[in-house]
Amino acid sequence: MVRFRLANVLLSLPEHLRCYPEMLYRAQGAVDFDEESGSLAFEGELDLLTYFNAFSAAKWRRYAAIEDVRLHLELVGDACEISFAGIEEGSITEADAPDPAEPHTSSAVKARALPKPIDCSHVFAGSSEYVEVDLEVPAGDMLLVGAVLATTGATDVRNAYWYTQVPEERIREVRIAVATTTFKNEGYILPNIKIMREDVLGSGQPVADALHLFVVDNGQTLDAEGLSHDGVTVLPNANEGGSAGFARGMMAALESDERFTHVLLMDDDVRIAPESIIRTFNLLSLVTDEYADAFINGAMLEMQHPNKQFEDVSHVRADGIYQRLKGDLFMDSLSDVAVNEVVDVEAQNAYGAWWYSCISLSAVRAHGLPLPIFVRCDDVEYGMRCKPTYMTMNGICVWHMAFGEKFRAAVDGYQYLRNYMIMNAIHGISSETMFMARANRTLRMYLRAMAYETADLFVSGFEDYLKGPEWLMGASGEELFKEGNARAEKLIPLADALSAASAEHPELAASFAAFQPDEDAVRDNQRASLLLRLWRTAPYDRHMLPDALLRSVPATAYYGGYTIFSPSQVGTKVFVACDRAGEVAHVRFMDRARWKTIRKRWAAVMADHRKRGADVAQAYRDALPEMSSVEYWRGHLGVGE
């Protein structure tokens, strides 16, 4: 039997979690971490039943059949009692989880997780030198288990970790190629390379000898030669989007002589938790045969609210909507931490976003590389193609900017519609009738909000889908993306936007001078009233009304769509389309001619789809093997043998 470390107990509080220490520990007295010794000095009680430091007992039993659970500690200082508490399985259920469709600003879990004492304790008598303590913890009926340390004075703890004893032959050979794609984003990627090199590759743990970081540089702005050493390789790549970057990373993993078993896809604009990668490796090393080919998806926590988990695994609904399997959870709340382990992610039509997704290379060999669709839906399509089982676990995560903060019409309009239709043509996940009804409604809402640029790109996405796979495989994703961005609405500082609008329409200068953004109209955490939602659904449009029934008083709209519908937006010909903060904007004026042109294009593309849609869909299905092949991607990216 050998000792196998399962998860480290994190004692150093990262800077971005300074306001959320409860994600690591709940301290009733003073705490102080010493970087040099790696120890945490504490007074009073230190409760480790938290998001990062609780042992995920039920998940380890489910995924790896681990029943033997032990805790290692190294202690120095005054006497300290070590006890254990846990959340029992069944004490909190999926029914207690918040609604995935509703946004929340604080915990909305419907039940409270109450820790239960575990019959296991130990008294550290105190010492002037570090003493190693190893305790076997009965965790058989527990969802989560955590240690509670209570000192009579001041005690230091270091090198704490959960482990098990297993036969050496039970440990799988795991080698992970981490593939991260970047485009002129040195502010994120360079610190992430440093973290990976120092805290994962330099950790001294087994993962350090079984991992390699491939940085796919789509912008070709990194010092590839200077950065490529000590387990890191920078690969300059053509800028064909995230899908191409991840395809290149997968190719590097497949073609390496390092015998990789998995590829971990990870966005560049994330904050990494090194322990997440260590736990991923440890879990894969012990999974049962049932989960040998499962994907591990890390959760996305929000940069702006580091305690808030937005998503780990989602699924595709029949109407074409992507919906996460869990609602907003707050990882400094024990009840939310428990619910996060309870909600089942082994769902039909599930997918894991590629901010952190660890994929078995056996799946890549069997199902191919991503499609050449630049961005949006590449990870969704891959989930529909591979149909994997997903594993998730507390403490496996990254931090990423919230998506509501960065609407881009070239992505969320053009790329979304085109790429979703390609995916659905190949896999038939959603009802085409339901999806087209929703697409019709989306276009109507864009036009109603006078978002002509976004509506124009939305229609273009449909038109380009109908050009078929041969066009897609030969198109330059970079040029399409540049063109889309050039056509998209441009946001500038609010004062500048109002000043330009006043110059264009001096008769409205007084209205623009008095304008103040309506915060409710751009807020993303509330819903319109039932009456206004019903009104929004009705097929009316301000463009159909005569000028006599319209006014020229500017009203606030959210530039990215139509999330909130307020009475002030009704009957006006002028919108000040703002970001969430009301800091940048674009002033929209009614343009009936453009409205008619876009509607005519949409009617024409809908007619074309009715006529040729079945043939186009079949062409995408037939082209899938070629579009996802190494040979295609080599040619598309100009990568030699």
Side-chain angles (χ1 to χ4, degrees), residues 287-314:
V287 289
T288 62
D289 289 345
E290 180 182 358
Y291 288 94
D293 294 319
F295 295 6
I296 296 178
N297 236 72
M300 175 197 140
L301 279 69
E302 293 185 0
M303 288 271 199
Q304 303 91 319
H305 309 100
N307 63 327
K308 180 180 178 181
Q309 178 177 298
F310 170 73
E311 180 185 317
D312 53 15
V313 175
S314 291

Side-chain angles (χ1 to χ4, degrees), residues 11 288 325 377 437 461 609 616:
L11 302 174
T288 62
L325 294 174
C377 207
H609 181 250
V616 172

Side-chain angles (χ1 to χ4, degrees), residues 77 79 98 207 228 236 265 280 299 302 375-376 414 470 520 530 553 567 605 610 612 633:
V207 67
S228 295
L265 307 182
T280 296
E302 293 185 0
V375 291
R376 280 290 184 276
Y414 173 86
E470 188 173 344
D520 286 341
L530 177 60
V553 178
V605 76
R610 287 191 294 270
R612 298 191 302 114
W633 275 109

